[in-house]
Amino acid sequence: MNFNKIYALGLRHLYLIMNSFPRVLDLIYWPTVQIFLWGFISKFFTLNSEYYNNTVGVILTAAILYDFLFNLANFKKPF
Amino acid sequence: MFIKIRDLTKIYNNFLAVNKINFQIEKNKTIGLLGPNGCGKTTTIGMMLGLVSPTEGEILIENKSIKSFKRDDILKRFNFASPYVELPKKLTVKQNLEIYGRLYGINNLNERISEISSDLDIKNFYDRKTGELSSGQKNRVSLAKSLINKPEILLLDEPTASLDPDIGDFIRSYIQEYKKNNSVTVLLASHNMSEVERLCDSIIMMKKGKIIDSGSCQDLIKKHGRDNLEETFLKLARSKNEF
């Protein structure tokens, strides 16, 4: 494993994001939308069902994490 | 011999792009790879870089097959520049050089970037995105990237294509100067005959995937009874015979 190469590729992604306001916005906007969306859904479930009470936190965290990673990895746009 | 190409062949589906070519390059020499469009120059360079797998044949570096080297070790000794392979457009010149420098594991990278940037006069557009540069500026950045690891083997695919005479001359002069001061073996594919005459110690002429002739510029001109390399190229490119 070559850490120089891993570091270089990480740096490339970082520079790519930092050089583009829409990419930074993508990283913040969609996870925020997800937090609100899943937050309200979770709130609804916790208020109306005891069964879902303990799982909503996990679902919410997974959804946000998925969305953040999806946006981070979405480099199909021309570079 | 530093580099030996033995029976190198590439077939794309049913199209024979490179047909059993054989040539060798001595250390620190510059070899010109000439031929009409589609004759297999870029495919040959691609195979030497390991980007295209040969259908047959082998590439030897210091009498060892390129396959016997670790890919990382062999890539450290090579580099490549072409106006047809763009660097990431959204990154600035400095960011591009930094990333490529790190990919090659260069020590004292900032010093090396500064040195090569001064040499190629690219410091004044250091912080501009590569996609916003003119062709001449892009070519200089591409050349800077190709020299960042001080390669032993430099593959140049039409390095001055679409450049004005001034920038073209700047790049040619720089390559000449760089060769004087560094140990580097160059394979230059070009359509610019004056460039080839100026930079190359000898020439390989390709046509339809085969090598049709080779030798020094003067020898080829004399052999084919022409006044200059351009006329020699035209004779070879238009003839139906092999030489």
Side-chain angles (χ1 to χ4, degrees):
Chain A
M1 196 185 295
N2 188 330
F3 288 102
N4 261 331
K5 286 188 180 176
I6 295 168
Y7 181 68
L9 288 175
L11 202 61
R12 176 184 172 254
H13 283 271
L14 182 73
Y15 284 151
L16 207 52
I17 292 164
M18 301 307 278
N19 285 356
S20 162
F21 179 68
R23 284 177 203 268
V24 175
L25 196 68
D26 254 12
L27 278 181
I28 298 165
Y29 178 76
W30 289 109
T32 309
V33 168
Q34 292 278 33
I35 289 168
F36 277 103
L37 179 71
W38 284 97
F40 283 123
I41 292 170
S42 307
K43 182 84 178 157
F44 171 79
F45 276 124
T46 44
L47 290 176
N48 294 287
S49 163
E50 291 230 340
Y51 180 76
Y52 289 106
N53 221 348
N54 296 323
T55 54
V56 283
V58 177
I59 293 169
L60 180 61
T61 310
I64 293 162
L65 186 65
Y66 165 79
D67 205 52
F68 183 76
L69 293 176
F70 179 81
N71 280 300
L72 198 66
N74 190 14
F75 286 114
K76 283 174 189 169
K77 301 159 194 171
F79 57 81
Chain B
M1 207 49 73
F2 189 45
I3 303 172
K4 273 187 193 167
I5 305 293
R6 264 197 213 150
D7 292 332
L8 202 63
T9 304
K10 180 66 193 177
I11 302 170
Y12 291 109
N13 298 321
N14 291 322
F15 177 70
L16 185 59
V18 175
N19 186 5
K20 290 195 173 180
I21 60 167
N22 289 281
F23 65 89
Q24 40 199 26
I25 310 176
E26 283 177 50
K27 198 163 189 174
N28 297 334
K29 295 285 181 192
T30 301
I31 302 294
L33 201 54
L34 301 187
N37 291 324
C39 72
K41 301 185 296 288
T42 305
T43 304
T44 304
I45 289 178
M47 286 192 277
M48 290 179 75
L49 281 169
L51 299 173
V52 177
S53 311
T55 311
E56 268 178 48
E58 60 179 350
I59 298 158
L60 305 165
I61 310 284
E62 290 167 334
N63 287 321
K64 279 173 74 182
S65 170
I66 206 165
K67 287 177 190 166
S68 66
F69 290 93
K70 275 187 179 174
R71 187 156 169 78
D72 272 4
D73 293 340
I74 199 71
L75 285 179
K76 275 182 188 167
R77 301 173 70 179
F78 272 87
N79 215 319
F80 165 73
S82 167
Y84 308 116
V85 179
E86 291 209 47
L87 299 174
K89 291 175 189 172
K90 300 271 180 183
L91 301 185
T92 66
V93 172
K94 193 182 175 192
Q95 287 169 347
N96 264 311
L97 292 178
E98 189 185 346
I99 286 162
Y100 279 99
R102 292 202 183 280
L103 282 172
Y104 281 105
I106 309 294
N107 297 323
N108 303 322
L109 181 58
N110 287 333
E111 273 176 40
R112 180 68 189 136
I113 291 176
S114 178
E115 183 189 6
I116 197 101
S117 304
S118 303
D119 289 351
L120 280 162
D121 197 19
I122 57 179
K123 275 196 168 171
N124 52 339
F125 48 86
Y126 228 33
D127 294 317
R128 278 177 59 194
K129 287 183 183 170
T130 314
E132 296 167 0
L133 302 178
S134 69
S135 302
Q137 290 169 332
K138 277 183 194 169
N139 272 21
R140 276 185 279 163
V141 175
S142 178
L143 193 60
K145 174 248 134 192
S146 72
L147 297 172
I148 201 157
N149 61 331
K150 295 189 174 173
E152 286 174 58
I153 302 160
L154 181 62
L155 306 173
L156 299 172
D157 191 7
E158 300 182 35
T160 57
S162 76
L163 295 185
D164 71 58
D166 181 34
I167 303 285
D169 181 64
F170 174 87
I171 288 189
R172 277 172 222 126
S173 302
Y174 181 76
I175 294 169
Q176 265 184 322
E177 195 60 31
Y178 185 84
K179 269 213 73 194
K180 269 186 203 165
N181 303 324
N182 295 275
S183 166
V184 61
T185 306
V186 182
L187 183 67
L188 171 79
S190 179
H191 290 300
N192 186 318
M193 299 302 131
S194 64
E195 173 177 289
V196 172
E197 278 189 277
R198 184 171 159 186
L199 296 177
C200 297
D201 299 302
S202 61
I203 295 169
I204 292 163
M205 287 285 248
M206 288 183 75
K207 190 176 166 184
K208 293 181 181 172
K210 290 175 93 173
I211 293 176
I212 52 168
D213 210 349
S214 61
S216 71
C217 295
Q218 289 311 316
D219 286 350
L220 284 180
I221 294 168
K222 208 173 159 185
K223 182 178 170 185
H224 295 282
R226 294 294 190 266
D227 294 330
N228 55 48
L229 193 61
E230 184 144 351
E231 285 179 17
T232 311
F233 175 89
L234 289 175
K235 182 189 171 190
L236 289 168
R238 288 171 183 172
S239 70
K240 286 173 184 166
N241 305 322
E242 284 180 33
F243 296 88

